[in-house]
Amino acid sequence: MTTPSVSMWIECFEEDARFEGDGLDALVEQLVAHVRATHDVPYPEDEVRIWARNFAEASVREDGPVGRLPSIGSVEVHPVTEERIDDWLRFFDREAFPDNPDWGACYCLHPHTGEVPERPWRDVRAEMIERLRSGATLGYLAYVDGRPAGWVNASPRSTYAKYSGVDPEGPAPDTVVGVSCFIIAPPYRRHGVSSALLDRVVADGAARGARYVEGYPRRTDTGEDSTSFCGPRSLFDARGFAAAEERDTYIVVRRPV
């Protein structure tokens, strides 16, 4: 692979060191050397190296605006069908995480796989494209002035390895739409984009053959993006979701369609 010639950066996951430079391979090795010398982590060195490469490449690939807009236009929400995959790719490739390259390799695959070793972002991206095309992942894009502004993964809970153990005595997983992630581009945060996305998920539930819509807000919400990507509890409470089960780090909330 050709090493990019533009400046990039990596911040250690312990937030105690930052490395900047033009050479991808050299930058990655600096981070790996720092981790090896400074931190006792349970991850193999090759996995740390993949994570560092993903971060560095995202630091230049994610070039969308980072400033929050004072106001936005009306929000339109559409399911991500075949003709909208290019919009979805633009959103995740460039717009979703310009302020947080650490998440630039996610592409919202994690709910489906659960905890797995770090993978190159291009592999994750390719897998999600196939999932969207085949209908294995279902979600919605929010648009503002014709530009993708946010995403929600609203697939059947039966497709989520991450939530496979939820409420075993409750409704069958294939009858539940699981709202696993909201990703909102920085300019559009705290402007009601997540609300518009969730309203569309609830409105479409019956037509999709679901009996319930379910969310997984974190038990502890600091108001920061790192703890709010599943949506705050208040977002679900306002739409009649009720607590169905409490887990170690999140609460399962549910409502009938």
Side-chain angles (χ1 to χ4, degrees), residues 3 53 59 94 96 122 133 151 171 198 217:
T3 300
R53 184 175 291 269
S59 75
R94 303 183 61 180
R122 289 177 179 82
R133 284 177 174 159
W151 150 264
L198 183 56

Side-chain angles (χ1 to χ4, degrees), residues 162-163 165-166 215-219 245-252:
K162 182 177 180 179
Y163 298 114
V166 161
Y216 315 100
R218 301 292 139 187
R219 291 175 64 93
E245 184 183 26
E246 294 196 9
R247 312 285 287 190
D248 289 344
T249 59
Y250 62 90
I251 300 171
V252 181

Side-chain angles (χ1 to χ4, degrees), residues 80 112 131-132 134-140 151-156 159-160 177-178 208:
V80 179
H112 299 289
R131 292 189 66 90
L132 289 167
S134 68
T137 292
L138 298 169
Y140 298 81
W151 150 264
V152 63
N153 192 334
S155 301
T159 71
Y160 294 146
V177 171
R208 291 178 54 187

Side-chain angles (χ1 to χ4, degrees), residues 133-192:
R133 284 177 174 159
S134 68
T137 292
L138 298 169
Y140 298 81
L141 277 176
Y143 292 78
V144 176
D145 297 327
R147 182 175 187 146
W151 150 264
V152 63
N153 192 334
S155 301
R157 197 218 297 156
S158 56
T159 71
Y160 294 146
K162 182 177 180 179
Y163 298 114
S164 61
V166 161
D167 196 8
E169 304 302 319
D174 60 355
T175 69
V176 179
V177 171
V179 180
S180 63
C181 293
F182 295 92
I183 307 297
I184 311 300
Y188 306 102
R189 293 173 189 167
R190 297 176 177 84
H191 283 300

